[in-house]
Short mmCIF file of all heavy atoms in Angstrom, two decimals:
data_model
loop_
_atom_site.label_atom_id
_atom_site.label_comp_id
_atom_site.label_asym_id
_atom_site.label_seq_id
_atom_site.Cartn_x
_atom_site.Cartn_y
_atom_site.Cartn_z
N GLY A 908 6.82 -11.18 9.94
CA GLY A 908 5.85 -10.43 9.12
C GLY A 908 4.84 -9.52 9.91
O GLY A 908 4.15 -8.80 9.39
N GLU A 909 4.72 -9.76 11.20
CA GLU A 909 3.68 -9.08 12.02
C GLU A 909 4.07 -7.69 12.05
O GLU A 909 5.31 -7.24 12.03
CB GLU A 909 3.68 -9.61 13.44
CG GLU A 909 2.74 -9.01 14.43
CD GLU A 909 2.70 -9.68 15.65
OE1 GLU A 909 3.54 -10.56 16.04
OE2 GLU A 909 1.81 -9.21 16.47
N ILE A 910 3.09 -6.76 12.09
CA ILE A 910 3.36 -5.25 12.01
C ILE A 910 2.95 -4.90 13.54
O ILE A 910 1.96 -5.13 14.12
CB ILE A 910 2.45 -4.51 11.11
CG1 ILE A 910 2.67 -5.03 9.74
CG2 ILE A 910 2.64 -3.05 11.23
CD1 ILE A 910 4.06 -4.82 9.11
N VAL A 911 3.99 -4.32 14.28
CA VAL A 911 3.76 -3.80 15.71
C VAL A 911 4.13 -2.31 15.69
O VAL A 911 4.58 -1.68 14.70
CB VAL A 911 4.64 -4.53 16.54
CG1 VAL A 911 4.34 -6.03 16.46
CG2 VAL A 911 6.18 -4.32 16.25
N SER A 912 4.12 -1.65 16.93
CA SER A 912 4.57 -0.36 17.16
C SER A 912 5.60 -0.44 18.19
O SER A 912 5.67 -1.33 18.92
CB SER A 912 3.43 0.52 17.68
OG SER A 912 2.28 0.62 16.66
N VAL A 913 6.47 0.54 18.21
CA VAL A 913 7.53 0.59 19.35
C VAL A 913 7.55 1.99 19.90
O VAL A 913 7.64 2.97 19.18
CB VAL A 913 8.87 0.17 18.66
CG1 VAL A 913 10.05 0.32 19.74
CG2 VAL A 913 8.87 -1.25 18.15
N GLU A 914 7.36 1.96 21.21
CA GLU A 914 7.40 3.29 22.02
C GLU A 914 8.80 3.63 22.31
O GLU A 914 9.48 2.85 22.93
CB GLU A 914 6.42 3.18 23.14
CG GLU A 914 6.36 4.49 23.87
CD GLU A 914 5.41 4.35 25.12
OE1 GLU A 914 4.12 4.37 24.81
OE2 GLU A 914 5.91 4.14 26.09
N ILE A 915 9.10 4.80 21.98
CA ILE A 915 10.48 5.34 22.28
C ILE A 915 10.34 6.26 23.57
O ILE A 915 9.39 7.03 23.59
CB ILE A 915 11.21 6.20 21.12
CG1 ILE A 915 11.17 5.41 19.84
CG2 ILE A 915 12.47 6.73 21.58
CD1 ILE A 915 11.96 4.13 20.02
N PRO A 916 11.04 5.98 24.59
CA PRO A 916 10.81 6.84 25.89
C PRO A 916 11.15 8.28 25.59
O PRO A 916 11.87 8.63 24.69
CB PRO A 916 11.88 6.12 26.91
CG PRO A 916 12.85 5.50 25.94
CD PRO A 916 12.19 5.10 24.70
N THR A 917 10.69 9.08 26.44
CA THR A 917 10.79 10.55 26.35
C THR A 917 12.27 10.87 26.41
O THR A 917 13.07 10.42 27.20
CB THR A 917 10.13 11.32 27.48
OG1 THR A 917 8.62 11.01 27.40
CG2 THR A 917 10.27 12.77 27.40
N SER A 918 12.66 11.54 25.38
CA SER A 918 14.17 12.01 25.31
C SER A 918 14.14 13.38 24.63
O SER A 918 13.55 13.57 23.58
CB SER A 918 14.82 11.04 24.41
OG SER A 918 16.15 11.51 24.13
N ASN A 919 14.65 14.36 25.45
CA ASN A 919 14.66 15.79 24.76
C ASN A 919 13.16 16.31 24.48
O ASN A 919 13.01 17.01 23.66
CB ASN A 919 15.40 15.92 23.51
CG ASN A 919 16.93 15.49 23.82
OD1 ASN A 919 17.45 15.76 24.85
ND2 ASN A 919 17.56 14.80 22.85
N GLY A 920 12.17 15.68 25.18
CA GLY A 920 10.93 16.21 25.10
C GLY A 920 10.16 15.78 23.80
O GLY A 920 9.27 16.40 23.31
N ARG A 921 10.66 14.64 23.18
CA ARG A 921 10.12 14.19 21.89
C ARG A 921 9.61 12.84 21.89
O ARG A 921 10.00 11.95 21.07
CB ARG A 921 11.12 14.45 20.86
CG ARG A 921 11.68 15.76 20.71
CD ARG A 921 12.57 16.05 19.42
NE ARG A 921 11.68 16.78 18.48
CZ ARG A 921 12.09 17.06 17.19
NH1 ARG A 921 13.19 16.56 16.82
NH2 ARG A 921 11.33 17.77 16.50
N ASN A 922 8.75 12.51 22.93
CA ASN A 922 8.24 11.10 23.00
C ASN A 922 7.63 10.79 21.62
O ASN A 922 6.96 11.54 21.12
CB ASN A 922 7.23 11.02 24.21
CG ASN A 922 6.87 9.72 24.44
OD1 ASN A 922 7.47 8.66 23.90
ND2 ASN A 922 5.63 9.56 25.15
N LEU A 923 7.83 9.53 21.27
CA LEU A 923 7.32 9.19 19.94
C LEU A 923 7.07 7.57 20.00
O LEU A 923 7.87 6.86 20.51
CB LEU A 923 8.34 9.44 18.81
CG LEU A 923 7.98 9.25 17.33
CD1 LEU A 923 7.10 10.42 16.91
CD2 LEU A 923 9.15 9.19 16.52
N THR A 924 6.00 7.13 19.23
CA THR A 924 5.70 5.82 19.05
C THR A 924 5.76 5.56 17.54
O THR A 924 5.00 6.19 16.77
CB THR A 924 4.27 5.38 19.62
OG1 THR A 924 4.41 5.58 21.10
CG2 THR A 924 3.97 3.88 19.29
N PHE A 925 6.71 4.67 17.12
CA PHE A 925 6.76 4.36 15.74
C PHE A 925 5.78 3.20 15.42
O PHE A 925 5.71 2.23 16.06
CB PHE A 925 8.10 3.73 15.42
CG PHE A 925 9.23 4.84 15.44
CD1 PHE A 925 10.18 4.86 16.36
CD2 PHE A 925 9.18 5.75 14.43
CE1 PHE A 925 11.17 5.76 16.38
CE2 PHE A 925 10.14 6.86 14.40
CZ PHE A 925 11.22 6.77 15.39
N GLY A 926 4.88 3.43 14.47
CA GLY A 926 3.92 2.42 13.93
C GLY A 926 4.65 1.70 12.75
O GLY A 926 5.58 2.13 12.34
N ASP A 927 3.83 0.87 12.12
CA ASP A 927 4.32 0.08 10.95
C ASP A 927 5.65 -0.55 10.94
O ASP A 927 6.46 -0.38 10.07
CB ASP A 927 4.26 1.01 9.85
CG ASP A 927 2.87 1.58 9.56
OD1 ASP A 927 1.87 0.74 9.60
OD2 ASP A 927 2.66 2.74 9.20
N VAL A 928 6.04 -1.13 12.24
CA VAL A 928 7.25 -1.66 12.37
C VAL A 928 7.20 -3.28 12.01
O VAL A 928 6.38 -3.91 12.65
CB VAL A 928 7.86 -1.63 13.81
CG1 VAL A 928 9.14 -2.31 14.11
CG2 VAL A 928 7.87 -0.19 14.30
N ILE A 929 7.77 -3.73 11.02
CA ILE A 929 7.68 -5.06 10.66
C ILE A 929 8.62 -6.00 11.45
O ILE A 929 9.92 -5.62 11.70
CB ILE A 929 7.83 -5.34 9.05
CG1 ILE A 929 7.57 -6.66 8.78
CG2 ILE A 929 9.31 -4.99 8.70
CD1 ILE A 929 7.28 -6.84 7.29
N VAL A 930 8.14 -7.10 11.87
CA VAL A 930 8.94 -8.10 12.61
C VAL A 930 9.53 -9.09 11.65
O VAL A 930 8.87 -9.59 10.76
CB VAL A 930 8.15 -8.92 13.60
CG1 VAL A 930 8.98 -9.82 14.43
CG2 VAL A 930 7.52 -7.84 14.60
N ARG A 931 10.89 -9.28 11.71
CA ARG A 931 11.60 -10.21 10.86
C ARG A 931 12.25 -11.35 11.68
O ARG A 931 13.11 -10.88 12.53
CB ARG A 931 12.59 -9.49 9.87
CG ARG A 931 11.80 -8.53 9.07
CD ARG A 931 12.80 -7.59 8.36
NE ARG A 931 13.87 -8.24 7.67
CZ ARG A 931 14.91 -7.62 7.07
NH1 ARG A 931 15.01 -6.30 7.25
NH2 ARG A 931 15.87 -8.36 6.56
N VAL A 932 11.80 -12.53 11.59
CA VAL A 932 12.26 -13.50 12.62
C VAL A 932 13.26 -14.59 11.84
O VAL A 932 12.81 -15.00 10.74
CB VAL A 932 11.07 -14.29 13.11
CG1 VAL A 932 11.59 -15.45 13.93
CG2 VAL A 932 10.12 -13.42 13.72
N SER A 933 14.43 -14.72 12.38
CA SER A 933 15.43 -15.76 11.77
C SER A 933 16.45 -15.96 12.88
O SER A 933 16.82 -15.04 13.56
CB SER A 933 16.02 -15.05 10.54
OG SER A 933 17.12 -16.00 10.16
N ASP A 934 16.88 -17.19 12.88
CA ASP A 934 17.82 -17.57 13.83
C ASP A 934 19.17 -17.08 13.57
O ASP A 934 20.12 -17.34 14.31
CB ASP A 934 17.80 -19.06 14.07
CG ASP A 934 16.58 -19.43 14.98
OD1 ASP A 934 16.05 -18.75 15.83
OD2 ASP A 934 16.13 -20.66 14.71
N SER A 935 19.27 -16.37 12.39
CA SER A 935 20.56 -15.72 12.03
C SER A 935 20.71 -14.31 12.46
O SER A 935 21.60 -13.56 12.16
CB SER A 935 20.76 -15.86 10.49
OG SER A 935 19.92 -15.16 9.78
N TYR A 936 19.60 -13.76 13.20
CA TYR A 936 19.53 -12.46 13.70
C TYR A 936 19.98 -12.36 15.01
O TYR A 936 20.04 -13.39 15.89
CB TYR A 936 17.94 -11.83 13.48
CG TYR A 936 17.59 -11.75 12.04
CD1 TYR A 936 16.17 -11.78 11.85
CD2 TYR A 936 18.53 -11.48 10.98
CE1 TYR A 936 15.78 -11.53 10.49
CE2 TYR A 936 18.03 -11.23 9.73
CZ TYR A 936 16.61 -11.27 9.51
OH TYR A 936 16.09 -11.20 8.26
N ALA A 937 20.11 -11.03 15.50
CA ALA A 937 20.21 -10.71 16.96
C ALA A 937 19.07 -9.74 17.16
O ALA A 937 18.72 -8.89 16.34
CB ALA A 937 21.55 -10.10 17.23
N LEU A 938 18.62 -9.68 18.44
CA LEU A 938 17.34 -8.87 18.74
C LEU A 938 17.81 -7.47 18.70
O LEU A 938 18.64 -7.03 19.44
CB LEU A 938 16.80 -9.24 20.03
CG LEU A 938 15.58 -8.42 20.43
CD1 LEU A 938 14.38 -8.65 19.49
CD2 LEU A 938 15.20 -8.72 21.93
N ALA A 939 17.14 -6.73 17.82
CA ALA A 939 17.26 -5.18 17.59
C ALA A 939 16.35 -4.65 16.74
O ALA A 939 15.94 -5.29 15.71
CB ALA A 939 18.77 -4.93 17.10
N MET A 940 15.94 -3.38 16.83
CA MET A 940 15.07 -2.61 15.93
C MET A 940 16.05 -1.73 15.18
O MET A 940 16.91 -1.06 15.66
CB MET A 940 14.08 -1.76 16.69
CG MET A 940 13.23 -0.98 15.82
SD MET A 940 12.05 -0.01 16.73
CE MET A 940 11.34 1.05 15.46
N HIS A 941 15.80 -1.51 13.91
CA HIS A 941 16.51 -0.56 13.07
C HIS A 941 15.60 0.51 12.48
O HIS A 941 14.64 0.29 11.91
CB HIS A 941 17.16 -1.34 11.90
CG HIS A 941 18.40 -2.33 12.44
ND1 HIS A 941 18.99 -3.15 11.60
CD2 HIS A 941 18.97 -2.19 13.46
CE1 HIS A 941 19.93 -3.81 12.18
NE2 HIS A 941 19.94 -3.22 13.42
N ILE A 942 16.06 1.85 12.66
CA ILE A 942 15.51 3.00 12.13
C ILE A 942 16.48 3.75 11.49
O ILE A 942 17.69 3.64 11.69
CB ILE A 942 14.64 3.80 13.15
CG1 ILE A 942 15.66 4.30 14.28
CG2 ILE A 942 13.60 2.95 13.75
CD1 ILE A 942 14.97 5.31 15.33
N ASP A 943 16.09 4.76 10.64
CA ASP A 943 17.06 5.46 9.96
C ASP A 943 17.26 6.85 10.74
O ASP A 943 16.62 7.08 11.76
CB ASP A 943 16.76 5.82 8.43
CG ASP A 943 15.50 6.66 8.21
OD1 ASP A 943 15.19 7.54 9.03
OD2 ASP A 943 14.97 6.49 7.11
#
């Protein structure tokens, strides 16, 4: 439930940090971030 940010490395000159990223913890998951 924690809200964090994730920095995306520079790619094509469009460095971006995503805010408001919710952390969902469960042992049925695999570590990954999902964006659209």
Side-chain angles (χ1 to χ4, degrees):
E909 182 176 5
I910 304 296
V911 298
S912 295
V913 176
E914 184 177 280
I915 304 300
T917 300
S918 173
N919 300 323
R921 300 192 111 184
N922 185 16
L923 185 78
T924 299
F925 288 112
D927 299 318
V928 180
I929 189 157
V930 177
R931 297 167 56 190
V932 179
S933 170
D934 287 329
S935 65
Y936 293 153
L938 182 62
M940 177 181 172
H941 288 165
I942 62 174
D943 69 25

